[in-house]
Amino acid sequence: MSRHQFESASSERWSAYHPEQEEVVALRERRGANAGVERRFTLVHAGTWVVAAGLQLMAGTILGTRVVSELTVGVLLLAVLGAVLLGTAWWFDRESRDVGRTAAQRGQAYTIFSGANR
Amino acid sequence: MTAGTAVHAVADTTNAASVVMFLVVVSATLLLCFHFGVNSEGIDDLYVASNSLKPWRNAFALAGDLISILTLLTTTTLVALAGYDGMALAASTVGALAVLLVLARPVRNIGRFTLGDTLDERFGCRSIRVAAAVATLSVAIPLAIVQLTASGRATAALLGLSGTGPAQLCTIFMGTMMVCASALTGMRGNTMLQVVKTVMLFACMGLLFLALMTKMGWSLDRLLADASDRSENPESYFTPGNLHGRDTAGRFDLISMQITVVLGAAVSPHMIMRVKAAEHGASARRSVLYAMTMVGVFCGMIVVLGLGAAAVADGQAGQDFDLQSASALLSLVHSLAADGGGYLLVAMTVSVVFLTSLTVVAALTLSAGAALVHDVWAQGALRGRIAADVELSAMRWVTPVIGTLTVFLSVLAQSWNIQFLPQFVAATAASTILPSLVYALFWKGCTRAGVVWSVYGGLGSCMLLQFFGPQVSGSPRALFPAADFAWFPLSTTGLVSVPVGLAAGWAASRLTSRKRDCGADERYAAVAARAAIDDDRPLTAKG
């Protein structure tokens, strides 16, 4: 439904509509939902790096152990690290998009700040 | 075979065809610069391409911004020489974009062009703009010097010229091209050049990868075994500590290097401006995501090529190339070129080195010019009371001046050992730009003084610790090898300077009253709301 149709269909409601307040409230809610996604993403990444750093500090020699033929634990660790980084990045993008969609389905009106895309 | 002889051997494979191909690339680049220079319209177009870049195009450019000459040459050499430590550096480069992924949407939505605009949107004062400009210049100018110096050396080597003089001449040539590119093109032109560069880079790396793996019989085992056999420490090649040592300081130095790269590499001022060029917040986030995937693939290839450089070395890898000349990739190109397709590989590598340096330095010069003209002069000194076309013409003058100064300093730096500069730049970005951005965008309790002190605290600690570190004095590879006033044990300062930057911002925010920042709460509410805007589509309710 376009904004024009939305305005026509609920003209009575629209007369008592304070767009800036609704926009701010809606965007704050979206911000809150986003913050959760950002927090989880940051925690997973920080945790992964802390584990990798801990292994390098405490168990450096273990990383040289060969697992399969010439492939060592260290090489595998870095490969897993890279996979976690890329995998969670795609998850983060999907979740961030879903936050907006879910909010729209809940029936909240989202418009944009005119100044945000100056 | 020493680094010098490897260089001469590369030169033997360089024939007229490769030089012609290189000149074609140079001419095409100049034509692109002229084309987009003529089409550049207005101050919005110059700084952020009028916020018009689609995700994929911006992603190619963003990947091009992150893949500098250092990533291309130094990381390859580090993988070849230090095995695990080099691979950890490559993984950290990918991780750097994860930081930018979280910041992308707020950074895109808040502030118009520069880092100063973003910080000023929250607090609205000149001291913030000056601090942002100081942080920008502290990162952009040294990074441009490092890029030009390294590319001058590499181009001279690939063209078969050795010694400081030819390297200085190549630096002047590259620098002149860079000044032309930065003076003629704005963000839009630079984006096109970055896209061309990234495509050529992937083509070149892909060719080298195919040639190497064919030579290795597509056996990863053989590659790993040969690389470790040719290294100085075959038993410990795949364990941490080959670069900085296995004592406590060496282990912490490796951690510090990774933290610094993860937190600092992707928040450089030119990347902040690049994110702002996206068409909306969701586009900025997607650009970073696609760029991260591309950089991940690139770093995977860099690791394989680094191992390949060690595996195909004539003698021990450490005798074939060293860290200062960062010539592992050049040595590998020579070796693969000798097997066939020589001129094509050499010409592509020269062109990629040229384009990589040119585009990144042009972007850095643009961000440095924007910091001076937009933040300090137009919005700081004149408080925004300036016509857009006056600012535009000021940029057209200031950018070449900054470029010329950078070229001059790069030529001087050819005779110095400036190995500490890349770490210093990454640590400065991680200790100044990241804390100030995180506080300004995500912390309600942050004050104006908090942001200013996170910048100056981080920068001061970086400079102090780097100056008294092992890369400036006290070792044969230091800037002043004869002197010894080093007391700080780490060559990369991020492990200490990032917490110092964060602590300085936190302490200043706690110690100063928020009442002094007029309308701070309202500004934070507006910033928080704007940061949440995803795209331009109005999402309307069902009822």
Side-chain angles (χ1 to χ4, degrees), chain B residues 98-473:
Chain B
V99 175
L100 193 61
L101 189 65
V102 177
L103 293 173
R105 183 170 53 189
V107 165
R108 159 61 188 81
N109 287 344
I110 297 160
R112 290 178 74 188
F113 305 134
T114 60
L115 174 69
D117 283 342
T118 302
L119 300 180
D120 185 55
E121 194 91 359
R122 168 82 196 273
F123 297 103
C125 74
R126 283 193 288 185
S127 59
I128 293 262
R129 281 194 178 274
V130 173
V134 168
T136 300
L137 293 173
S138 308
V139 173
I141 302 283
L143 190 53
I145 291 171
V146 171
Q147 302 282 334
L148 272 180
T149 311
S151 65
R153 277 181 195 157
T155 310
L158 280 164
L159 292 175
L161 311 163
S162 59
T164 308
Q168 286 176 331
L169 274 178
C170 284
T171 304
I172 292 171
F173 170 73
M174 306 282 271
T176 311
M177 292 292 296
M178 177 272 294
V179 171
C180 289
S182 55
L184 288 171
T185 64
M187 181 58 84
R188 196 181 295 279
N190 188 265
T191 303
M192 283 311 298
L193 289 178
Q194 289 281 19
V195 171
V196 171
K197 164 227 168 158
T198 307
V199 171
M200 275 196 73
L201 186 68
F202 272 86
C204 181
M205 293 291 109
L207 266 181
L208 289 173
F209 178 83
L210 286 176
L212 173 69
M213 291 312 287
T214 307
K215 187 168 182 167
M216 288 285 140
W218 292 92
S219 166
L220 187 64
D221 272 358
R222 190 181 153 196
L223 179 71
L224 293 169
D226 285 2
S228 64
D229 286 348
R230 299 276 164 84
S231 69
E232 287 178 357
N233 304 305
E235 292 304 313
S236 55
Y237 188 64
F238 291 115
T239 58
N242 291 312
L243 183 61
H244 300 291
R246 287 172 216 292
D247 55 351
T248 309
R251 289 181 181 190
F252 276 102
D253 217 348
L254 178 62
I255 305 292
S256 183
M257 180 184 79
Q258 291 174 66
I259 286 179
T260 305
V261 171
V262 168
L263 299 180
V267 291
S268 303
H270 64 303
M271 299 193 73
I272 298 287
M273 283 182 78
R274 169 76 56 206
V275 166
K276 287 181 178 297
E279 53 184 353
H280 45 65
S283 172
R285 191 184 62 235
R286 236 162 278 150
S287 306
V288 179
L289 176 68
Y290 299 155
M292 194 174 167
T293 310
M294 284 184 225
V295 172
V297 173
F298 174 81
C299 284
M301 287 199 284
I302 279 288
V303 166
V304 171
L305 294 178
L307 292 172
V312 301
D314 286 344
Q316 260 194 354
Q319 293 166 348
D320 244 23
F321 37 81
D322 55 52
L323 195 54
Q324 191 180 350
S325 58
S327 51
L329 188 69
L330 314 185
S331 175
L332 177 69
V333 170
H334 146 67
S335 178
L336 297 175
D339 294 347
Y343 77 89
L344 182 69
L345 284 179
V346 174
M348 278 195 84
T349 311
V350 176
S351 307
V352 161
V353 165
F354 164 73
L355 275 176
T356 301
S357 170
L358 178 87
T359 48
V360 174
V361 174
L364 285 166
T365 313
L366 180 70
S367 63
L372 280 178
V373 173
H374 182 72
D375 285 336
V376 176
W377 184 58
Q379 298 296 324
L382 302 179
R383 295 176 185 268
R385 292 189 293 267
I386 179 177
D389 55 337
V390 177
E391 190 176 334
L392 189 69
S393 70
M395 269 299 285
R396 295 286 186 215
W397 283 101
V398 167
T399 312
V401 171
I402 293 174
T404 309
L405 177 73
T406 310
V407 176
F408 176 69
L409 291 173
S410 307
V411 171
L412 286 183
Q414 284 291 1
S415 46
W416 300 339
N417 191 347
I418 52 165
Q419 275 187 50
F420 72 95
L421 264 186
Q423 285 107 312
F424 172 73
V425 167
T428 304
S431 315
T432 59
I433 297 176
L434 187 71
S436 58
L437 271 179
V438 168
Y439 282 155
L441 297 175
F442 298 108
W443 186 27
K444 190 179 180 182
C446 178
T447 64
R448 184 173 57 185
V451 169
V452 171
W453 278 103
S454 69
V455 170
Y456 294 132
L459 181 62
S461 64
C462 268
M463 291 173 76
L464 188 76
L465 297 176
Q466 195 74 63
F467 187 73
F468 290 108
Q471 291 209 317
V472 172
S473 71

